[in-house]
Amino acid sequence: MRIIAKRTLREFWESGPEFEDSKGQLEAWHAEVQKSVWQTPQQVKSQFRSASILKNSRVVFNIHGNKYRLIVKINYSYGIVYVRFVGSHKQYDKIDAETV
């Protein structure tokens, strides 16, 4: 899968010392997703059992033992994963995961 954009992930873990612990987990997620070929939400769920499949092609991933949330929008036919949000649970609670 092609991921747009790793920069968003990097900006998050560099945004403050409280988020530095997400770096390794986000890099591992990025590397694993790059090697994946998903054509359906079920394939995502089979690879990442704790992922939540939402409407509007959105998927929520639990990062670093569910300390952080990562929301992506997936275009399955083109093999593209768009990073829409990465943040703490507190930040996640302030957004609408299906429209972000």
Side-chain angles (χ1 to χ4, degrees), residues 67-85:
K67 184 174 180 181
Y68 302 109
R69 293 282 176 97
L70 171 63
I71 302 172
V72 301
K73 181 175 183 177
I74 302 175
N75 184 321
Y76 295 97
S77 57
Y78 287 98
I80 300 174
V81 175
Y82 300 93
V83 175
R84 307 298 296 158
F85 169 85

Side-chain angles (χ1 to χ4, degrees), residues 32-99:
E32 189 168 344
V33 172
Q34 269 189 318
K35 294 184 251 178
S36 302
V37 180
W38 297 325
Q39 297 177 336
T40 66
Q42 293 77 19
Q43 290 175 323
V44 176
K45 189 72 174 167
S46 69
Q47 186 172 351
F48 291 93
R49 299 240 181 251
S50 66
S52 299
I53 309 298
L54 306 178
K55 295 183 221 173
N56 300 322
S57 302
R58 301 291 201 281
V59 179
V60 179
F61 294 94
N62 298 319
I63 303 295
H64 199 312
N66 206 20
K67 184 174 180 181
Y68 302 109
R69 293 282 176 97
L70 171 63
I71 302 172
V72 301
K73 181 175 183 177
I74 302 175
N75 184 321
Y76 295 97
S77 57
Y78 287 98
I80 300 174
V81 175
Y82 300 93
V83 175
R84 307 298 296 158
F85 169 85
V86 60
S88 67
H89 271 277
K90 186 176 180 180
Q91 294 166 324
Y92 175 83
D93 290 341
K94 295 179 182 178
I95 62 160
D96 180 356
E98 293 180 356
T99 60

